[in-house]
Amino acid sequence: MPEEITPILAELDTYDTKEYANNTYYLGHYHGHELVIAYSKIGKVFSTLTATVMIEHFGAEVLLFSGVAGGGSADVQVGDIVVATQTVQHDIDITAFGRQKGEIPGSKVFIETCQRLTSKLKEAANTHGIALKEGVIATGDQFIHSKEVKEMIVKHFNAQAIEMEGASVNLVCHELNIPCVILRAISDTADGQAVDDFPQFVEKAAKQSATLILSLVRLL
């Protein structure tokens, strides 16, 4: 969402904008790095398009994805920050053909993220006194606001966070051999309170994740 890149853009002295594929891309410099910044729009299709454009059209060599998510496992609460060790698409279901839930033929259920970037992100978090939580981030084309649905996703995939874009972005990077890190600040707990909690905490959560992403850029 726009709210998720606003705190990043605020830290740049200047930037140019480019319109491409019905989205706006912001081009700037930060601590010696050329940055291409965009919000992915909501859902797996738009986020796949945005990630692909960044890599294939703008030549991105590393992809850093940040934003907000719903909490998954019981120890993840509003305000926590989760970095993905793996991502999964929780809404893929062709089990009727003998596949595992979340499995696509020719791919894997769980896709790993870049360990080097994750290690650097931990280093950045330490400088801010932030304790990162690590684990699986589960992605699907639904805003989860049901305790029963959340518990099913957590039980099946051991998900630490649940959202709508991370796994599709990570899959693009995996297939194109681009290092990728997926970072999420928890804005709600993906249960019956999610609709009320999300607007209240989204801005604060977005600022937290943006702070860590920019700190990571400085370490690269």
Side-chain angles (χ1 to χ4, degrees):
M1 299 175 296
E3 294 92 335
E4 293 169 304
I5 66 168
T6 296
I8 296 176
L9 294 173
E11 294 299 317
L12 303 186
D13 292 330
T14 60
Y15 52 81
D16 296 323
T17 60
K18 299 289 184 182
E19 301 295 325
Y20 190 83
N22 200 32
N23 201 359
T24 302
Y25 294 81
Y26 303 85
L27 312 180
H29 292 82
Y30 187 77
H31 284 256
H33 294 284
E34 294 183 48
L35 301 187
V36 182
I37 302 165
Y39 72 96
S40 67
K41 300 184 181 179
I42 294 172
K44 293 193 294 181
V45 175
F46 274 126
S47 58
T48 297
L49 173 62
T50 303
T52 303
V53 166
M54 284 184 158
I55 296 165
E56 293 292 312
H57 184 75
F58 290 103
E61 298 176 351
V62 173
L63 202 147
L64 314 177
F65 186 94
S66 75
V68 300
S73 59
D75 65 329
V76 176
Q77 301 298 320
V78 171
D80 287 343
I81 299 182
V82 178
V83 58
T85 54
Q86 299 173 309
T87 57
V88 63
Q89 297 183 71
H90 69 74
D91 59 347
I92 295 293
D93 189 347
I94 51 172
T95 54
F97 298 95
R99 300 287 181 173
Q100 298 180 61
K101 188 169 175 56
E103 181 186 5
I104 298 174
S107 186
K108 301 184 294 183
V109 176
F110 296 97
I111 304 294
E112 293 78 16
T113 53
C114 177
Q115 293 183 354
R116 183 184 73 87
L117 288 177
T118 298
S119 178
K120 287 288 187 182
L121 187 64
K122 290 179 184 177
E123 185 180 339
N126 286 337
T127 65
H128 292 280
I130 296 173
L132 290 182
K133 295 189 175 181
E134 299 178 76
V136 174
I137 291 183
T139 301
D141 277 324
Q142 305 95 27
F143 179 82
I144 303 302
H145 57 99
S146 161
K147 181 179 179 182
E148 292 73 23
V149 174
K150 169 187 169 177
E151 289 177 348
M152 180 181 66
I153 295 169
V154 171
K155 179 179 179 180
H156 201 95
F157 298 108
N158 193 28
Q160 293 288 89
I162 305 168
E163 38 87 293
M164 299 179 67
E165 297 85 22
S168 48
V169 170
N170 191 38
L171 180 60
V172 167
C173 292
H174 181 268
E175 297 297 308
L176 295 176
N177 198 31
I178 296 294
C180 177
V181 67
I182 307 292
L183 174 72
R184 290 293 199 176
I186 303 303
S187 60
D188 61 89
T189 49
D191 54 19
Q193 291 294 115
V195 174
D196 294 327
D197 289 346
F198 182 79
Q200 182 179 355
F201 293 105
V202 63
E203 185 175 347
K204 178 181 178 181
K207 287 180 178 178
Q208 287 180 312
S209 59
T211 295
L212 279 181
I213 285 293
L214 290 173
S215 294
L216 173 58
V217 170
R218 294 196 292 270
L219 292 176
L220 297 180

